[in-house]
């Protein structure tokens, strides 16, 4: 029952139009700092109905300059979820801030609002409240942003949405990136994400000052705006460095790919949701926890389709299941090892059992292959393979008679 071709957990979708768009840039005068980056920024800002979008060379860079724009520095405290890619926490460390985590909700795998509320109560008593919370829309499922925003008003912290998984999703009928409940949202365009620019990222915001600071920071802290000059203007060559910035610029080639991909964003997200529904229908009788049903208020972009293995009922370990699926060319993956258990964060003092819900989740999860060009037949072959492995190991054989559509 092996799938002949290797099925990765995620794969980019690049069309002939995408390729033509990139080739056009190669034939043009501008490989960087030309007209296509602003056009891509406009397209994303329009899609998200946000005032500003700032393109950079990765989501990691976007998170870094977003933290700096929000004045995160040495001694400040930044909270995020342990169930994320390390970049969501590292960005605070780049700025010299301390990081702490909020445990996850066992059904959505996003940071738990109950855990956040409780942790804020204690932090207030101890006089060590966070200056910033980075909320991650894990697997594309929107966090409860209204609840987080309400808490931010009470306790006075800023909010970044790490929406690296979530472009094309909706929260309370607004596109993710609209920033109705946050200061800044960040997208990733790495090839496994929803749309790609190879490497690339974007920050959206409705705050003009934050957007201007991020624009400065992505390009050495240099401005060419006459009205902003501090020294007397010496001529047409004159520019000024006002901040210690970086070279985090996106190239014109990347922006052309992203701009072309934006036209298929809705199609990608629709297909991802369709495939997710098919998985749920095919796997519902197996000893697995499937993604919780989404509400009309929180529409997932389905970056990942995550299952949790009930090792006891399945009589099989997650590791064995992972290896057996890989033997069959099914490239399942694990998202994520909790960030606080990474050796770098352990050295900062975090230990096992600090965030039990995230740790329990991390022992059971597997991401199944899911990408827009995946066919129905490929999905059925993954489901069938998973079923036959679980059947082989099950004591009761209860699953083998189940109907597969
Ligand atoms: C992929 C990812 C990032 C980093 O994105 P890059 O564009 O590769 O820098 C950050 N946060 C999360 C949650 C991610 O999944």
């Amino acid at each position: 029952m092996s799938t002949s071709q290797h099925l990765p957990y995620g794969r980019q979708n690049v069309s002939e139009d995408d390729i033509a768009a990139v080739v056009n840039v190669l034939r043009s005068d501008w490989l960087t700092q030309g007209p296509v980056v602003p056009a891509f920024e406009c397209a994303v800002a329009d899609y998200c109905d946000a005032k500003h979008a700032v393109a950079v060379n990765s989501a990691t860079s976007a998170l870094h300059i977003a933290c700096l724009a929000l004045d995160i520095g040495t001694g400040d405290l930044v909270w995020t979820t342990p169930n994320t890619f390390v970049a969501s926490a590292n960005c605070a460390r780049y700025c010299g801030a301390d990081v702490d985590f909020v445990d996850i909700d066992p059904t959505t795998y996003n940071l738990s609002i109950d855990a956040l509320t409780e942790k804020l109560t204690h932090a207030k008593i101890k006089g060590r409240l966070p200056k910033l919370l980075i909320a991650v829309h894990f697997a594309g499922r929107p966090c409860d942003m209204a609840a987080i925003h309400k808490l931010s008003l009470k306790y006075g912290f800023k909010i970044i949405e790490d929406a690296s998984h979530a472009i094309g999703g909706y929260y309370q009928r607004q596109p993710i990136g609209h920033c109705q409940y946050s200061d800044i949202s960040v997208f990733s365009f790495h090839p496994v994400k929803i749309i790609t620019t190879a490497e690339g990222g974007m920050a959206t915001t409705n705050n003009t000052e934050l957007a201007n600071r991020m624009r400065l920071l992505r390009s050495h802290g240099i401005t060419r705006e006459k009205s902003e000059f501090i020294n007397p203007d010496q001529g047409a060559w004159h520019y000024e460095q006002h901040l210690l910035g970086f070279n985090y610029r996106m190239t014109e080639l990347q922006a052309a790919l992203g701009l072309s991909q934006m036209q298929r964003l809705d199609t990608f997200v629709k297909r991802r949701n369709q495939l997710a529904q098919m998985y749920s229908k095919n796997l519902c009788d197996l000893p697995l926890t499937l993604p919780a049903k989404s509400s009309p208020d929180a529409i997932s972009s389905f970056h990942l389709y995550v299952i949790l293995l009930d090792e006891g009922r399945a009589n099989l370990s997650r590791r064995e299941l992972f290896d057996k699926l890989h033997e069959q060319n099914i490239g399942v993956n694990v998202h994520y090892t909790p960030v606080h258990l990474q050796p770098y964060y352990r050295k900062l003092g975090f230990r096992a059992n600090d965030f039990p819900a995230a740790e329990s989740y991390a022992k059971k999860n597997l991401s199944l292959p899911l990408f827009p060009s995946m066919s129905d037949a490929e999905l059925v072959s993954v489901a069938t393979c998973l079923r036959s492995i679980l059947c082989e190991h099950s004591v009761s054989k209860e699953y083998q008679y189940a109907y597969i559509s």
Side-chain angles (χ1 to χ4, degrees):
M1 193 121 18
S2 91
T3 52
S4 46
Q5 269 227 305
H6 176 71
L7 277 175
Y9 83 89
R11 176 189 281 160
Q12 70 271 20
N13 180 305
V14 175
S15 69
E16 287 305 315
D17 283 351
D18 292 347
I19 292 167
V22 175
V23 169
N24 276 343
V25 166
L26 277 169
R27 295 206 168 98
S28 79
D29 287 339
W30 304 97
L31 301 186
T32 187
Q33 294 173 286
V36 189
V37 166
F40 181 36
E41 289 174 334
C42 273
V44 172
D46 280 354
Y47 184 92
C48 297
D49 194 15
K51 251 196 206 150
H52 308 279
V54 180
V56 283
N57 58 358
S58 72
T60 304
S61 302
L63 287 164
H64 184 195
I65 61 174
C67 286
L68 290 173
L70 290 168
D71 270 326
I72 298 303
T74 309
D76 289 332
L77 182 57
V78 175
W79 288 2
T80 187
T81 169
N83 184 33
T84 186
F85 184 58
V86 292
S88 314
N90 290 347
C91 56
R93 299 293 300 151
Y94 298 157
C95 306
D98 296 323
V99 171
D100 201 354
F101 301 91
V102 180
D103 208 354
I104 65 165
D105 180 299
T107 38
T108 64
Y109 319 142
N110 279 329
L111 66 83
S112 152
I113 301 302
D114 289 345
L116 176 62
T117 307
E118 201 189 315
K119 199 175 173 91
L120 285 165
T121 312
H122 288 289
K124 171 136 194 183
I125 294 165
K126 281 197 264 167
R128 186 79 172 119
L129 282 165
K131 184 164 173 180
L132 168 68
L133 177 75
I134 302 178
V136 180
H137 303 308
F138 175 74
R141 175 187 289 265
C143 293
D144 186 348
M145 291 309 300
I148 292 170
H149 182 250
K150 210 168 152 196
L151 289 165
S152 79
L153 296 178
K154 181 166 175 194
Y155 292 99
F157 56 85
K158 311 269 187 197
I159 303 170
I160 294 176
E161 294 174 68
D162 182 345
S164 291
H165 299 181
I167 195 168
Y170 281 77
Y171 179 71
Q172 293 186 348
R173 291 175 174 75
Q174 298 293 341
I176 297 293
H178 182 56
C179 298
Q180 71 267 48
Y181 293 120
S182 66
D183 298 282
I184 298 168
S185 295
V186 166
F187 297 127
S188 171
F189 306 131
H190 182 277
V192 298
K193 305 289 166 72
I194 309 288
I195 61 163
T196 192
T197 60
E199 297 284 357
M202 186 95 71
T204 61
T205 182
N206 297 314
N207 181 316
T208 304
E209 199 184 317
L210 290 177
N212 288 342
R213 289 190 77 184
M214 290 194 288
R215 283 183 205 287
L216 271 182
L217 286 163
R218 80 166 157 191
S219 196
H220 309 281
I222 284 173
T223 180
R224 290 173 187 278
E225 263 321 303
K226 275 192 170 53
S227 59
E228 287 167 13
F229 288 163
I230 292 164
N231 291 334
D233 187 358
Q234 295 165 14
W237 67 86
H238 187 84
Y239 63 77
E240 289 184 357
Q241 184 196 345
H242 289 176
L243 294 171
L244 185 60
F246 308 89
N247 181 351
Y248 282 169
R249 291 188 303 261
M250 176 180 276
T251 67
E252 292 282 288
L253 289 90
Q254 292 169 308
L257 179 54
L259 186 57
S260 182
Q261 292 249 313
M262 276 303 284
Q263 295 179 44
R264 304 203 301 295
L265 171 56
D266 286 336
T267 321
F268 289 166
V269 170
K270 197 170 157 209
R271 178 65 181 155
R272 284 176 173 279
N273 273 273
Q274 238 174 27
L275 290 164
Q277 268 185 24
M278 283 177 66
Y279 267 138
S280 293
K281 205 171 135 209
N282 273 275
L283 304 175
C284 61
D285 60 315
L286 297 177
L288 304 169
T289 304
L290 305 180
K293 283 227 156 43
S294 55
S295 74
D297 255 3
I299 294 170
S300 178
S301 57
F302 263 105
H303 166 53
L304 301 171
Y305 186 89
V306 175
I307 60 170
L308 306 192
L309 176 66
D310 182 338
E311 292 189 339
R313 266 177 73 214
N315 190 34
L316 181 74
S317 73
R318 193 263 305 268
R319 186 180 187 145
E320 287 170 304
L321 181 57
F322 180 101
D323 290 342
K324 280 171 186 294
L325 287 165
H326 274 257
E327 279 165 27
Q328 304 290 322
N329 273 327
I330 297 172
V332 290
N333 211 335
V334 169
H335 299 96
Y336 289 96
T337 297
V339 175
H340 69 283
L341 297 182
Q342 292 290 351
Y344 171 82
Y345 283 94
R346 281 189 193 250
K347 267 193 248 157
L348 296 176
F350 295 101
R351 345 198 113 41
N353 285 322
D354 280 351
F355 304 100
E359 291 170 39
S360 157
Y361 160 87
K363 289 182 182 129
K364 302 176 191 166
N365 76 77
L366 278 180
S367 304
L368 301 184
L370 180 66
F371 46 90
S373 61
M374 189 177 181
S375 69
D376 291 7
E378 284 173 326
L379 182 138
V380 169
S381 78
V382 173
T384 307
C385 186
L386 191 51
R387 175 177 302 278
S388 75
I389 292 168
L390 291 171
C391 259
E392 245 175 71
H393 290 264
S394 154
V395 221
S396 67
K397 306 271 176 218
E398 65 189 285
Y399 322 118
Q400 64 189 347
Y401 305 111
Y403 168 72
I404 300 173
S405 68

